[in-house]
Amino acid sequence: MSDSSDQSVESGGLTPKQRLEPPNTRLINAGIVTINDMETLRACVAYENANLGRVQILRRLEQQANEIRSQED
């Protein structure tokens, strides 16, 4: 049985796994900076916490959350 965050397609047509598990860090960063809504960001944070738990990636996701919030103000 697969975790729903593995399979759900979020904004941009990418799953959290596709955004956070490419072969190099530049692609991971690109996957993160193209997140433009909180729903997708939360799905990616949940995926990272459940699967890899990389602090550096979680910090980058937090920075992106701050960017999204600042655009909403």
Side-chain angles (χ1 to χ4, degrees):
M1 182 185 236
S2 183
D3 183 85
S4 63
S5 64
D6 277 355
Q7 301 300 317
S8 64
V9 175
E10 303 297 337
S11 71
L14 298 173
T15 66
K17 182 175 183 172
Q18 290 170 318
R19 287 184 187 277
L20 301 175
E21 289 193 33
N24 70 58
T25 56
R26 285 187 292 169
L27 292 174
I28 293 171
N29 287 334
I32 292 172
V33 299
T34 58
I35 298 170
N36 56 17
D37 64 272
M38 292 303 285
E39 181 180 345
T40 300
L41 189 111
R42 285 184 193 107
C44 288
V45 169
Y47 177 83
E48 186 64 25
N49 281 327
N51 293 283
L52 302 170
R54 297 168 292 186
V55 173
Q56 192 173 24
I57 300 300
L58 290 167
R59 283 186 186 138
R60 185 63 193 96
L61 289 165
E62 181 181 19
Q63 289 172 350
Q64 188 63 20
N66 291 335
E67 287 290 318
I68 292 168
R69 287 184 196 109
S70 71
Q71 292 172 5
E72 291 176 351
D73 291 342

